[in-house]
Amino acid sequence: MPSPRVVCAAALLLLLPLFVAAQNQPVEIAFTVAMTRPHTHLFEVDIDIKRPTNGPTEERLVLPVWTPGSYLVREFARNVQDFTALDAAGQPLKWEKTNKDTWRVVTNGAREWHAHYRVYANELSVRTSELNSSHAYWNNANILMYLDGFLKSPATVHVLAPDVWKVATGLPAVLGQKNTFRAENFDILYDSPFEASNFKTLIFNVKGVAHRIVIDGEGNYDAERMRRDVQKIVETEVELMGGEVPYRDYTFILHLRANAGGGLEHLNSASLGYPRFGFRIERGDRATSAGPNTTDTPQRDYRGFLALVSHEFFHLWNVKRIRPDVLGPFDYTQENYTKMLWVAEGITDYYADLALRRAGLVTENEFLSATARSIQSLQNTPGRFEQSVEESSFDSWIKYYRQDENSVNSQVSYYDKGAILGLLLDLEIRKRSNGAKSLDDVMRYLYKQFFKQDRNYGPMDFQKACELMAGSSLDEFFRRFVHGKEELDYDAALGAAGLRLDTNAPAMPTSTTTTTTGAAADRLFFGADIAQEADRLIVRRVYAGSPAYEQGLNAGDEIVALDNLRVTRDFFNTRMMEKKPGELVNLTIFRFDDLSTLLIKLGDRRQGTFRIVPLTTQTPAQKQIYKSWLGN
Ligand SMILES: [Zn+2]
């Protein structure tokens, strides 16, 4: 007797031809996105659905719960209101919600029907949407529903914007129809954000292909320099990936606001947010990175902008075309789990910095200093022993995008450690192949062997591609550092290029808002990040294993006095710099509403500032690898 599961499977098989027929039936899906009252923040969306023959008796409209590239379920349906559905004669159709993101409409087999709803949009970020009296920006996954079962259908979007606004998107325009655009399918539709405003446009060509930078907002940027430098980044990365430009045009949408930040990659466009006064030209040491946490880095300079561009642009290969397992086509109703974000994001971050160096936009010293800083930051993260990069990738949905005061102790960033693994793999491949191959060859191989053959790659495919270029097994490397949580061996990799990591260099100044007290030259080890919040000095996070952690300081504690004297941040930093390892400090704190004192014995950090320095003697092979790596 067959099991119930077999009976179900048989029933499904009988139903399959009907389902396939429904999937194959051509459906015309046309959206209109109107914004008649921008100050209300309400987009008015119409969906027109047409078929040549009768449709099913009921259909489902679904709004995605997430938007690809930003790995968090964001429940976009919470912004939907005033849903109605009508038949071709304008008569209301019955509908009900069947779960948080699905509207079931009783269509009674109608060939033609439409739905209307409004979406509240008042949050500007690269993954959300904003409509107000000065502009509209939207991600289609935030506001456009798909017809269940028809993600592969093409769709058009007609934008009704105020007359004085222009419209920019990566989607091709429909000829002869004003502000109407076409997407081949819903993965492409959801991959193509829109900006409608009185934006400025900078244009340039690379290999005859048009590129534009669409800028909404004022800022202290030099337009000509930005255009020239972004073009250099595009040219450098196109060459790095084999010289082919794999899109018909490319659009950067850039929002400049006081506190804007972050970027999101798309097939032939990218959304960027950047602080409007963050374009100051500086040389010397300054951290730059891209990712969800960049907004709380208050002091940015022009290199930070270039790094953001470089990162998002490299994604057009790494993740948008070189796709890890589940990342495309997408399931828009739930989390899409992958262990490969350390490659998709981390290795993209590695190439973001490397491309700036190869484009001549940062010096070798700036590149090496930034790399040393990233290594030091990873080494100061106790969570690196709690989570592998694969686990970090997999759990991004509940951890990386939902960080709290304990994250530094329980997590490792797939961006940060992934970028460093990119560096180590690159140098390891160069060493083993005697400089003949590199990680560049791995990326080009994946592009040819997977994207060009319409396949996604898995964890073993990536390892095998690295081994192919290295000419030998990297099993141990992947076991210890990718699947595992072992301490990374920096000198083994850096040695290939005639370099080593010096962990005892003299200190550098710390950032202005947050102070990891004790990172200064005196090696004092306290182990907490302290931030000034209005007139209060608050403990942001406490590092596991540090004196502060072991002796009872908590994140959220308000420090009111040090050795019985009232503190400001400057006073606290100055007094702590005068302390010696082994000394006791008396902290008066508010924990919630309770006043108490803590006596903390300061520790000895044993390490200074990290620098990457040349080996005393370098072989010709090491010199050659260094030269081909940093592109001189
Ligand atoms: Zn990224």
Side-chain angles (χ1 to χ4, degrees):
M1 192 174 128
S3 73
R5 193 177 298 165
V6 172
V7 174
C8 280
L12 268 178
L13 278 177
L14 286 174
L15 286 172
L16 201 57
L18 279 176
F19 182 69
V20 171
Q23 289 270 315
N24 289 340
Q25 190 184 37
V27 179
E28 272 181 55
I29 302 172
F31 293 97
T32 303
V33 176
M35 47 206 89
T36 53
R37 305 179 77 215
H39 70 281
T40 63
H41 316 294
L42 288 165
F43 284 111
E44 298 136 44
V45 179
D46 266 296
I47 314 177
D48 280 301
I49 292 163
K50 284 185 193 161
R51 289 183 167 82
T53 56
N54 283 359
T57 54
E58 59 175 55
E59 299 208 71
R60 284 172 166 73
L61 289 170
V62 186
L63 192 66
V65 300
W66 72 293
T67 195
S70 183
Y71 306 99
L72 177 68
V73 169
R74 290 176 194 274
E75 324 283 21
F76 298 125
R78 70 198 164 90
N79 296 318
V80 173
Q81 61 191 66
D82 308 321
F83 183 92
T84 53
L86 303 166
D87 67 15
Q91 294 303 308
L93 296 171
K94 277 191 191 158
W95 61 271
E96 64 170 350
K97 281 198 76 174
T98 56
N99 64 29
K100 64 184 178 184
D101 51 38
T102 307
W103 284 255
R104 183 178 70 94
V105 180
V106 181
T107 52
N108 300 316
R111 289 184 190 186
E112 194 175 328
W113 61 280
H114 77 265
H116 175 88
Y117 53 90
R118 299 197 290 171
V119 184
Y120 184 76
N122 195 22
E123 183 187 354
L124 183 63
S125 79
V126 295
R127 52 206 166 239
T128 54
S129 300
E130 180 178 72
L131 170 63
N132 58 33
S133 49
S134 63
H135 90 133
Y137 170 77
W138 70 94
N139 280 289
N140 287 322
N142 297 173
I143 73 165
L144 302 184
M145 297 178 186
Y146 65 87
L147 190 61
D148 195 16
F150 292 88
L151 280 171
K152 290 188 174 149
S153 287
T156 58
V157 182
H158 177 50
V159 179
L160 284 172
D163 283 345
V164 290
W165 288 1
K166 297 167 279 186
V167 178
T169 176
L171 292 176
V174 177
L175 285 180
Q177 294 181 43
K178 192 188 176 195
N179 287 343
T180 305
F181 304 88
R182 183 177 169 81
E184 279 169 48
N185 58 52
F186 275 69
D187 279 328
I188 290 174
L189 181 74
Y190 290 150
D191 193 51
S192 306
F194 277 76
E195 170 70 19
S197 63
N198 213 344
F199 51 75
K200 292 187 192 70
T201 308
L202 308 177
I203 56 170
F204 59 90
N205 281 307
V206 172
K207 296 197 161 183
V209 177
H211 295 69
R212 62 177 165 169
I213 310 170
V214 163
I215 307 171
D216 177 63
E218 302 294 326
N220 65 339
Y221 62 92
D222 172 339
E224 181 47 32
R225 183 169 183 154
M226 181 193 287
R227 192 196 61 72
R228 192 181 64 221
D229 291 348
V230 172
Q231 179 171 354
K232 273 187 206 163
I233 291 169
V234 170
E235 287 166 348
T236 303
E237 294 188 4
V238 164
E239 285 316 311
L240 196 158
M241 287 304 300
E244 177 187 284
V245 181
Y247 44 81
R248 74 191 170 269
D249 54 52
Y250 194 96
T251 302
F252 294 96
I253 297 174
L254 171 61
H255 292 116
L256 299 181
R257 301 288 188 274
N259 295 311
L264 198 65
E265 65 277 7
H266 302 288
L267 272 167
N268 69 326
S269 64
S271 282
L272 312 169
Y274 203 69
R276 63 168 80 236
F277 296 117
F279 294 87
R280 202 179 54 254
I281 312 283
E282 278 200 6
R283 303 317 269 176
D285 289 331
R286 171 65 52 78
T288 58
S289 70
N293 292 326
T294 51
T295 45
D296 61 22
T297 307
Q299 288 215 352
R300 308 293 299 278
D301 66 26
Y302 183 54
R303 278 173 302 174
F305 171 72
L306 296 179
L308 177 64
V309 169
S310 188
H311 177 105
E312 301 310 333
F313 190 74
F314 194 73
H315 268 313
L316 82 87
W317 293 278
N318 195 22
V319 92
K320 296 312 304 186
R321 288 177 175 79
I322 303 172
R323 294 189 307 263
D325 37 41
V326 300
L327 295 185
F330 300 99
D331 179 344
Y332 295 98
T333 65
Q334 59 182 340
E335 293 83 352
N336 291 211
Y337 295 103
T338 175
K339 292 179 179 174
M340 301 308 289
L341 293 182
W342 72 273
V343 173
E345 290 298 347
I347 287 184
T348 295
D349 229 20
Y350 171 61
Y351 275 109
D353 289 344
L354 194 57
L356 291 190
R357 170 62 212 126
R358 290 191 185 158
L361 296 168
V362 301
T363 64
E364 287 170 30
N365 278 340
E366 285 170 334
F367 175 83
L368 293 175
S369 293
T371 303
R373 255 194 324 271
S374 305
I375 292 173
Q376 182 150 24
S377 167
L378 177 65
Q379 293 305 110
N380 283 339
T381 304
R384 72 190 187 282
F385 294 125
E386 300 295 330
Q387 210 185 26
S388 71
V389 278
E390 290 189 330
E391 290 165 342
S392 173
S393 302
F394 193 85
D395 274 341
S396 63
W397 303 87
I398 55 166
K399 295 199 173 182
Y400 187 78
Y401 276 88
R402 296 169 82 177
Q403 298 199 18
D404 59 28
E405 71 281 359
N406 187 47
S407 299
V408 73
N409 295 327
S410 63
Q411 298 181 34
V412 70
S413 157
Y414 51 79
Y415 282 86
D416 300 348
K417 189 172 174 185
I420 292 168
L421 285 173
L423 167 85
L424 299 191
L425 272 171
D426 195 4
L427 291 176
E428 188 66 28
I429 292 168
R430 287 171 190 273
K431 180 170 70 181
R432 292 200 197 182
S433 66
N434 297 316
K437 299 283 182 192
S438 71
L439 193 62
D440 305 0
D441 294 290
V442 173
M443 301 315 291
R444 290 190 287 260
Y445 174 85
L446 293 172
Y447 181 66
K448 285 203 192 93
Q449 297 300 319
F450 288 86
F451 169 65
K452 289 279 187 176
Q453 299 187 25
D454 201 21
R455 298 190 289 158
N456 294 22
Y457 73 91
M460 258 333 276
D461 297 318
F462 182 78
Q463 182 179 332
K464 280 182 184 159
C466 292
E467 289 173 340
L468 184 68
M469 300 311 158
S472 52
S473 168
L474 286 161
D475 231 32
E476 195 192 335
F477 183 97
F478 277 80
R479 183 178 52 75
R480 293 173 62 196
F481 307 136
V482 176
H483 320 310
K485 301 168 250 190
E486 285 188 35
E487 198 75 293
L488 301 181
D489 189 349
Y490 301 105
D491 281 340
L494 290 169
L499 302 168
R500 68 177 178 86
L501 186 67
D502 175 5
T503 58
N504 274 305
M508 294 190 310
T510 52
S511 85
T512 52
T513 54
T514 314
T515 300
T516 304
T517 309
D522 60 7
R523 311 288 174 78
L524 196 69
F525 190 26
F526 179 58
D529 289 343
I530 313 283
Q532 186 85 43
E533 293 181 3
D535 58 346
R536 300 172 355 135
L537 202 59
I538 303 291
V539 178
R540 281 264 177 87
R541 55 188 78 78
V542 186
Y543 293 77
S546 69
Y549 185 93
E550 296 301 333
Q551 294 169 70
L553 194 67
N554 283 187
D557 287 349
E558 177 188 355
I559 301 177
V560 292
L562 170 64
D563 295 338
N564 296 318
L565 293 171
R566 183 204 301 270
V567 291
T568 60
R569 193 193 66 224
D570 289 345
F571 176 83
F572 185 85
N573 285 346
T574 311
R575 296 289 299 165
M576 288 293 269
M577 298 279 266
E578 293 164 359
K579 304 272 179 195
K580 301 272 179 302
E583 256 186 84
L584 288 169
V585 291
N586 186 337
L587 296 182
T588 307
I589 60 164
F590 268 116
R591 180 166 296 164
F592 306 111
D593 295 330
D594 300 325
L595 191 69
S596 62
T597 57
L598 273 177
L599 213 51
I600 293 180
K601 188 179 180 185
L602 298 169
D604 185 348
R605 186 175 283 283
R606 288 194 288 274
Q607 282 176 333
T609 295
F610 287 19
R611 296 275 188 208
I612 294 173
V613 295
L615 292 172
T616 336
T617 53
Q618 295 175 326
T619 66
Q622 288 169 330
K623 285 179 185 166
Q624 184 52 41
I625 284 178
Y626 179 88
K627 209 171 161 189
S628 62
W629 173 44
L630 293 189
N632 272 0

